[in-house]
Amino acid sequence: MSEVLIGIDLGGTNVKTAVVSRAGEVLGKDCRPTRASEGPDVVIDMMVESAEAALSQASVAQSNVLAAGIGAPGPMNWQTGVVFSPPNLPGWKDMPLADTMAKRLGVPCFVDNDANVACFGEFWLGAGRDVDSMVLLTLGTGVGGGIIVMGKLLRGPDGTAAEVGHLCVRRNGRRCNCGARGCLETYASVTGMVRTAVDGIQAGHQTALLERCGGDLEKITGRMISEAAQAGDGFAAWVIGETGVWLGAAIGSLINLLNPEKVVLAGGMIAAGEMLFSPARATAKRQSFEVPGSRASVEAATLGGDAGVIGAAGCALERLGLI
Ligand SMILES: [Zn+2]
């Protein structure tokens, strides 16, 4: 049996695990509730049980495990593996997650930020598998992401690098949860797109969205906008296009800054397809230098919900110096 890695994606709702071979073959998977409200000890138990279940599904013995990688939310010290106090994991305070899991699993454990881990997953086995430099933007409630330059994840000394969602795209723009104004995620996340729709409707634009939300603007969702656009609603299509333009402006800056070969977009919003990608690509091209702008392609992620577990396993391999 070949040597394998365990990749764990620790979320506030679910713990997901994959057993991945060194060659990048996913051999077994598990997903179970995090039980975050029951405190850190229960969550650690869930992670251990999930790892054991994934190993058993893969028919791999514990002795074949090289290391485990964990993608965790919130601020942390990626070098020591201490997780500070993630907002969606109540009761966690300066938890030595890497050391705790290393004792429980009996193998070296490494902890990384969940967004960076997802980026590494797409880089290792997904949309970025054929390139050395890429940027990932995950479009969800916020905008997360990661950066790989010449095969290395850009973490930064404090692990806070690659906060692409908080690139300023507009001076004095919308207020962001981070406290600043005009951050990319206030325009290009699902939440930002919904805000663009609500602002437009309040300014008097006519749209079938009003009917879809039953007149209650707070009920508008990203999916609703996408469905209305696909059904031919001009305003909804404009909202998605506008979101793509905000995204493209940031991508243009990222291209000038980092010279990536690919900019990969992930998250539910990419289902909007060309309505989103086409304005994003056109704006990125306009906003970047010719050489890096022509090199960088803007593409959809390919791993979906598996990017985290695969990336966590990949990050462990990277930390061992084997990738
Ligand atoms: Zn921000």
Side-chain angles (χ1 to χ4, degrees):
M1 174 55 70
S2 63
E3 294 166 314
V4 302
L5 290 308
I6 294 174
I8 301 176
D9 184 1
L10 170 61
T13 311
N14 288 310
V15 172
K16 290 196 248 173
T17 304
V19 173
V20 187
S21 74
R22 274 182 71 171
E25 197 185 345
V26 178
L27 305 169
K29 285 205 261 185
D30 181 74
C31 178
R32 60 189 61 213
T34 308
R35 293 167 62 180
S37 63
E38 293 170 61
D41 292 346
V42 172
V43 174
I44 296 287
D45 284 345
M46 289 305 103
M47 292 170 76
V48 173
E49 282 177 24
S50 184
E52 287 167 351
L55 280 173
S56 143
Q57 200 207 76
S59 304
V60 171
Q62 175 79 27
S63 55
N64 291 108
V65 179
L66 277 177
I70 302 163
M76 68 183 63
N77 183 327
W78 64 271
Q79 301 184 77
T80 59
V82 173
V83 173
F84 301 145
S85 50
N88 53 0
L89 295 173
W92 285 50
K93 181 88 182 91
D94 298 336
M95 155 75 81
L97 184 58
D99 287 349
T100 306
M101 287 300 288
K103 276 192 202 105
R104 294 288 301 269
L105 295 176
V107 293
C109 285
F110 304 97
V111 177
D112 268 298
N113 167 287
D114 50 8
N116 284 346
V117 155
C119 177
F120 202 84
E122 287 292 338
F123 169 69
W124 186 32
L125 298 178
R129 62 189 306 158
D130 55 345
V131 301
D132 286 328
S133 298
M134 66 168 265
V135 178
L136 175 78
L137 291 151
T138 302
L139 314 171
T141 313
V143 174
I147 295 170
I148 310 260
V149 180
M150 305 300 279
K152 284 279 166 204
L153 198 49
L154 186 71
R155 295 180 173 99
D158 298 307
T160 63
E163 285 289 353
V164 288
H166 302 278
L167 277 174
C168 182
V169 291
R170 182 173 200 166
R171 178 175 170 242
N172 292 330
R174 293 175 182 169
R175 185 170 288 287
C176 182
N177 286 333
C178 75
R181 279 186 178 276
C183 293
L184 176 66
E185 78 170 28
T186 67
Y187 297 92
S189 62
V190 176
T191 320
M193 181 171 75
V194 168
R195 166 91 183 267
T196 301
V198 170
D199 285 357
I201 293 168
Q202 283 172 340
H205 285 279
Q206 293 304 306
T207 167
L209 279 173
L210 260 177
E211 201 177 309
R212 284 175 185 259
C213 71
D216 183 353
L217 298 186
E218 288 191 4
K219 292 220 167 84
I220 293 178
T221 62
R223 178 187 291 260
M224 220 180 262
I225 295 168
S226 207
E227 284 172 359
Q230 251 133 37
D233 186 80
F235 173 76
W238 174 84
V239 168
I240 294 174
E242 187 73 357
T243 307
V245 170
W246 284 113
L247 204 51
I251 292 171
S253 290
L254 289 165
I255 288 172
N256 282 343
L257 198 64
L258 299 163
N259 191 192
E261 292 158 271
K262 276 190 189 173
V263 177
V264 178
L265 305 183
M269 211 203 274
I270 63 172
E274 283 309 302
M275 270 191 288
L276 183 75
F277 277 77
S278 175
R281 286 191 185 109
T283 310
K285 191 124 196 172
R286 236 182 359 257
Q287 291 291 120
S288 57
F289 288 112
E290 193 182 343
V291 169
S294 303
R295 174 177 294 277
S297 61
V298 180
E299 295 180 19
T302 60
L303 297 181
D306 285 344
V309 280
I310 290 173
C315 279
L317 203 55
E318 188 226 15
R319 297 276 200 107
L320 292 173
L322 298 175
I323 197 171

